[in-house]
Amino acid sequence: MEPKAENKLRVKKEDDFEGWDKWKERNKKGINSEVIFRRNKNIIVFDTDNAGISIECQTKVPKGTNNVYVALTGNLCALMDIRIC
């Protein structure tokens, strides 16, 4: 069987993280967040920061993979101003 993608996830509490209760409160009120995807050959990197939580996910896809598709979804949120560069 051909190998599938491999993922490495890093989640970090930043200095401005005020605790999970404050994090939930801020997210329930609504926040703007930026999500960045980058690709370098067969490595795709996803970055975002959210109310003091920093997330980075590296996905290694098999060499020769031409197209990689991303789906964004959320519960009780609005996804707006999506740009593809």
Side-chain angles (χ1 to χ4, degrees):
M1 179 175 223
E2 187 175 319
K4 303 294 181 191
E6 298 174 26
N7 291 300
K8 291 181 184 177
L9 180 66
R10 180 192 57 80
V11 179
K12 180 181 176 188
K13 293 179 189 175
E14 299 294 343
D15 291 339
D16 60 341
F17 180 69
E18 300 176 288
W20 290 111
D21 289 335
K22 189 70 172 175
W23 182 88
K24 287 189 290 187
E25 179 184 318
R26 289 180 67 193
N27 276 269
K28 284 180 182 180
K29 285 182 181 176
I31 62 171
N32 289 323
S33 186
E34 182 177 55
V35 179
I36 298 172
F37 291 89
R38 316 184 289 285
R39 181 174 185 172
N40 184 9
K41 299 181 183 177
N42 68 321
I43 305 289
I44 293 92
V45 180
F46 156 98
D47 289 299
T48 190
D49 293 305
N50 176 323
I53 296 294
S54 173
I55 301 170
E56 179 186 277
C57 182
Q58 290 187 7
T59 301
K60 183 177 181 182
V61 296
K63 289 185 179 182
T65 300
N66 293 323
N67 297 318
V68 175
Y69 300 94
V70 174
L72 301 173
T73 184
N75 188 20
L76 300 174
C77 71
L79 300 175
M80 306 178 318
D81 196 21
I82 297 170
R83 299 180 206 169
I84 299 172
C85 303

